[in-house]
């Protein structure tokens, strides 16, 4: 949808001209389940966006509409719900509460949300609506909050209001990603570097179209297992605060003290952090075959050690192997369904899309959606 259409619809709905703020979804190239362990990630935004059109109101009400979901909401800013309502408006309410707590008091506003980030596909449609909402509400607020605080505030909204214990990666990428690059993020310090992606390569995102029910519970369980690993290892190495601080040698030297499943989880995180650094070096030296090897290792580790893959993801990854122009692929995001990300030479991307779809459909009976993407700009970059 064009922004002029969104503005026209807003005008018809609220009888006022809006300002429009947009934030993208993301894929993660490597560094999976490392963000909540203070580790490293390498996401890239993709050209699917959530747009939030906004105008001020003279009263203390928040009126919310969505182009995708029929239901609209209206809230009194002085009597906001403390708990999630189980609807799309939770993301907006969570962000409003988070901004409020950070000292940026929301003023009355009309909001119309429209987006094309596939929902429930692991491409961070939730981070996109959170970040776009934060930018929209901040534009009306008297008390300014630095843009660098936006990812944390949006993460807090999702952790505390929506109730998902996610890490910082998605919100950060949605804010600060840059077209033409991946973003190497240190999830402890939030320092980041841009890593140029080869210009003649597409990010082909293959949606398995499944989302297994257990994903949220298993995600929280993985976090607890990592924390348990840290508790045990820190008895031997008091300096260890998170798995980010653990070396392979430290982990190996105390493998017997860890329950087998905890050891596997820790090993994935420790080695995945190393793979992120190695992948960055490989991109910088133009060695896409090495990137491919590291991404394959990452997928195998997520499947066998971290156990967050599923049959459909494994089939989608296998469907890509051997196709012309294919360099690398693996599951991306939290797992248990969602998407794979693939690096494919631009000239072969369309053929790749067709071939993968045929193979995946044959094996699973499910028609996948496959998106040929380029890396895109985050919300903060577009707004600047
Ligand atoms: C989800 C979460 C992220 C991250 C990934 C796994 O996408 O939202 O914070 O933990 O899973 O890497």
């Amino acid at each position: 949808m064009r922004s002029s259409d969104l503005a026209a619809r807003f005008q018809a709905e609220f009888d006022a001209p809006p300002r429009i703020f947009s934030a993208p979804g993301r894929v993660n190239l490597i560094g999976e389940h490392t963000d909540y362990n203070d580790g490293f990630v390498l996401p890239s935004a993709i050209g699917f966006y959530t747009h939030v059109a906004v105008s001020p109101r003279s009263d203390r009400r928040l009126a919310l509409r969505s182009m995708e979901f029929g239901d609209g909401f209206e809230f009194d800013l002085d009597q906001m719900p403390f708990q999630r309502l189980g609807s799309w408006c939770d993301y907006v309410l969570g962000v409003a509460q988070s901004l409020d707590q950070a000292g940026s008091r929301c003023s009355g506003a009309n909001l119309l949300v429209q987006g094309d980030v596939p929902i429930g596909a692991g491409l961070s449609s939730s981070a996109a609506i959170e970040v776009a909402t934060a930018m929209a509400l901040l534009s009306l607020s008297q008390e300014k909050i630095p843009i660098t605080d936006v990812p944390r505030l949006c993460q807090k909204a999702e952790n505390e209001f929506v109730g998902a214990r996610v890490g910082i990666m998605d919100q950060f990428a949605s804010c600060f990603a840059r077209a033409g690059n991946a973003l190497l993020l240190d999830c402890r310090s939030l320092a980041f570097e841009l890593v140029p992606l080869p210009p003649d390569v597409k990010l082909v995102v293959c949606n398995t179209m499944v989302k297994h029910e257990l994903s949220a519970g298993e995600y929280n369980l993985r976090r607890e297992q990592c924390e348990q690993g840290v508790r045990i290892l820190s008895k031997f190495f008091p300096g260890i605060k998170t798995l980010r601080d653990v070396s392979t040698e430290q982990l190996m030297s105390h493998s017997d003290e860890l329950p087998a499943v905890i050891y596997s989880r820790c090993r994935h995180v420790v080695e995945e952090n190393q793979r992120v650094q190695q992948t960055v070096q490989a991109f910088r030296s133009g060695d896409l075959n090495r990137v491919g090897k590291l991404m394959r290792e990452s997928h195998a580790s997520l499947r066998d050690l971290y156990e967050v893959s599923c049959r459909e993801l494994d089939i989608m990854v296998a469907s890509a192997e051997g196709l012309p122009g294919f360099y690398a692929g693996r599951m991306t995001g939290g797992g248990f369904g969602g998407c794979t990300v693939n690096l494919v030479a631009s000239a072969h991307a369309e053929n790749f899309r067709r071939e993968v779809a045929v193979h995946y459909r044959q094996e699973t009976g499910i028609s996948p959606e496959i998106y040929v993407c380029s890396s895109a700009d985050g919300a903060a970059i577009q707004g600047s």
Side-chain angles (χ1 to χ4, degrees), residues 12 32 57 66 96 99 105 115 126 166 174 183 208 289 299 307 314 321 323 345 366 379:
E32 217 65 86
R57 286 173 69 109
S66 150
L99 293 178
R105 193 153 177 267
S126 32
V166 295
S174 188
L183 188 150
T208 62
N289 291 327
H299 185 81
E307 297 182 279
D314 294 342
E321 282 299 340
L323 290 177
I366 303 169

Side-chain angles (χ1 to χ4, degrees), residues 10 13-15 52-66 71-77 80 88-89 92-93 96 106-113 133 136-137 140:
F10 188 96
E13 188 84 38
F14 294 114
D15 196 20
V52 173
V54 66
S55 72
R57 286 173 69 109
S58 51
D59 58 10
R60 298 263 312 139
R61 296 189 78 74
L62 199 56
L64 311 179
R65 305 277 185 277
S66 150
D71 46 353
F73 298 88
E74 214 160 306
F75 298 98
D76 181 337
L77 279 167
M80 293 288 271
W88 65 271
C89 70
V92 177
L93 294 177
C106 285
S107 37
N110 299 313
L111 267 74
L112 175 61
V113 178
T133 299
L137 293 178
L140 301 183

Side-chain angles (χ1 to χ4, degrees), residues 115-172:
D116 59 8
V117 187
I119 291 176
L123 300 176
S124 297
S125 56
S126 32
I129 186 174
E130 287 157 8
V131 170
T133 299
M135 308 289 274
L137 293 178
L138 281 172
S139 75
L140 301 183
S141 170
Q142 301 304 317
E143 296 88 356
K144 293 297 167 209
I145 282 187
I147 181 86
T148 43
D149 290 357
V150 167
R152 275 265 184 253
L153 291 173
C154 291
Q155 182 199 15
K156 186 165 178 267
E158 192 151 348
N159 288 173
E160 294 177 11
F161 195 86
V162 180
R165 283 191 76 200
V166 295
I168 187 73
M169 165 169 71
D170 307 345
Q171 291 78 5
F172 202 95

